Amino acid sequence: MRESVGHKVLIGLKEYLLMAFGMFIYAFAWIGCILPANCMGGGAGGVSLLIYHAIDGALSMGVILFIINAVLLIIAGFVVGWRFGIKTIYCIVVLSVAMSLLQETIPAGLDLFKLDNRLFSAILGGIFAGIGVAICFSQGGSTGGTDIVAMIINKYRKISYGRIVVFSDFVIIASALLVSDLGIDGVIYGYVFVAVFGYTVDMIQAGNNHSNQIFIVTHDYKAMADAMLYKANRGATLLDAQGWYSKEEKKIVMVVCRKRDTSMILKIAKMVDPDAFISVGSVMGVYGKGFDALNKV
């Protein structure tokens, strides 16, 4: 029991450390790339950047972002109820602190990469922001902002999350036209940032979530299924089959796993039966215990 509790504590600690790491990367994208290049962005970060320029930097972006998210959380609490996960609140606080610390650490107007090209700054910022958010999402966290807005809107009208994000980002970035420091070029680079950010998040999440379906044809199917269950910690399904050449009745061991676990599965299968016939295929989606929830369909 103690080992089980200790293991859960270590897993929880790892999750929160990774979320904090992701939020610092996301914060650096804004403070180290977007802010010095006078670009724009979407979401709550874009609103905080807009306000930051409007008030001539009287408050740091981290403080502004925290106030925005706090107001959204309070509104959502009264509208849809106080159902926020601790991870969401944790990520919001860490992100706000990270932005404030980095803004004090990185001198105003200094681009650490000495980027004179604003387009490259927007692209690099989108990559960093995408990596940070993807790390956060992989641990069950959320950056707040648009997520909270979507929750409030869906209370009264069912609109997809993607549409809400696209519309809100379009409006937020276009609002930069009202700030002389940003202008039309800041808007254009803002859309570049959002496009690169979205693509990066999708690419990383796709790499982590895509799964493989493995078929293992072996004479010792019981040993193979046991190895998948006890050594690989994966479920296995036996399928009835018949070799048409030999006309021999067979059992096929089917295993579904994340792509990152495929190599381990193949090594274990080879140890059990070096002569096993194995095929590996990529599947678009897997739903059920251990994979994505059915309510995501």
Side-chain angles (χ1 to χ4, degrees):
M1 177 63 73
R2 289 181 180 178
E3 291 182 357
S4 178
V5 173
H7 183 64
K8 290 181 179 179
V9 170
L10 288 176
I11 292 177
L13 181 61
K14 175 187 173 183
E15 289 178 349
Y16 281 91
L17 287 176
L18 283 174
M19 284 189 291
F21 178 65
M23 289 298 91
F24 267 87
I25 295 178
Y26 183 65
F28 177 77
W30 285 95
I31 305 302
C33 299
I34 302 304
L35 181 61
N38 274 340
C39 297
M40 189 55 184
V47 176
S48 63
L49 180 59
L50 197 64
I51 296 174
Y52 176 80
H53 282 288
I55 63 176
D56 295 325
L59 294 174
S60 70
M61 276 191 63
V63 172
I64 298 172
L65 183 64
F66 180 80
I67 294 173
I68 292 171
N69 278 316
V71 171
L72 288 174
L73 284 173
I74 293 172
I75 295 174
F78 285 108
V79 174
V80 300
W82 306 92
R83 301 177 299 177
F84 309 111
I86 186 66
K87 288 183 178 180
T88 297
I89 299 175
Y90 171 79
C91 288
I92 289 173
V93 173
V94 172
L95 176 58
S96 301
V97 172
M99 279 191 170
S100 296
L101 289 176
L102 289 177
Q103 199 165 357
E104 292 180 1
T105 304
I106 301 175
L110 171 65
D111 189 335
L112 290 185
F113 296 96
K114 301 186 183 305
L115 299 174
D116 297 324
N117 191 322
R118 294 174 68 188
L119 176 61
F120 189 44
S121 296
I123 293 174
L124 197 62
I127 293 173
F128 276 120
I131 293 172
V133 169
I135 293 174
C136 178
F137 285 172
S138 69
Q139 304 304 313
S142 169
T143 57
T146 309
D147 292 344
I148 303 174
V149 173
M151 189 184 303
I152 296 172
I153 292 176
N154 283 322
K155 171 71 174 181
Y156 301 100
R157 188 171 181 180
K158 294 297 180 183
I159 303 176
S160 69
Y161 175 77
R163 289 184 179 181
I164 295 173
V165 171
V166 170
F167 179 76
S168 62
D169 285 351
F170 179 84
V171 173
I172 291 169
I173 295 175
S175 299
L177 293 171
L178 302 175
V179 180
S180 58
D181 292 345
L182 297 172
I184 184 65
D185 49 349
V187 173
I188 295 173
Y189 296 131
Y191 289 127
V192 172
F193 165 76
V194 169
V196 174
F197 164 72
Y199 180 78
T200 303
V201 172
D202 288 343
M203 286 294 293
I204 295 176
Q205 287 191 312
N208 287 332
N209 292 332
H210 279 186
S211 301
N212 280 336
Q213 189 175 61
I214 304 173
F215 290 101
I216 307 172
V217 182
T218 175
H219 292 290
D220 197 355
Y221 62 86
K222 291 183 179 179
M224 186 66 70
D226 285 340
M228 294 298 112
L229 184 61
Y230 298 113
K231 292 184 179 180
N233 293 318
R234 293 290 167 186
T237 302
L238 296 181
L239 305 176
D240 292 322
Q242 182 183 31
W244 193 244
Y245 177 78
S246 64
K247 302 301 188 292
E248 181 183 351
E249 298 290 338
K250 298 178 181 292
K251 293 283 188 182
I252 296 178
V253 180
M254 184 189 75
V255 179
V256 178
C257 66
R258 297 296 189 191
K259 281 190 174 180
R260 59 178 176 267
D261 298 326
T262 301
S263 178
M264 174 194 65
I265 299 291
L266 296 178
K267 288 179 181 178
I268 294 174
K270 183 179 180 181
M271 286 191 302
V272 176
D273 183 3
D275 298 322
F277 180 81
I278 304 173
S279 68
V280 179
S282 179
V283 292
M284 292 297 294
V286 182
Y287 302 95
K289 187 175 182 180
F291 294 89
D292 292 331
L294 283 171
N295 57 16
K296 290 185 178 182
V297 179

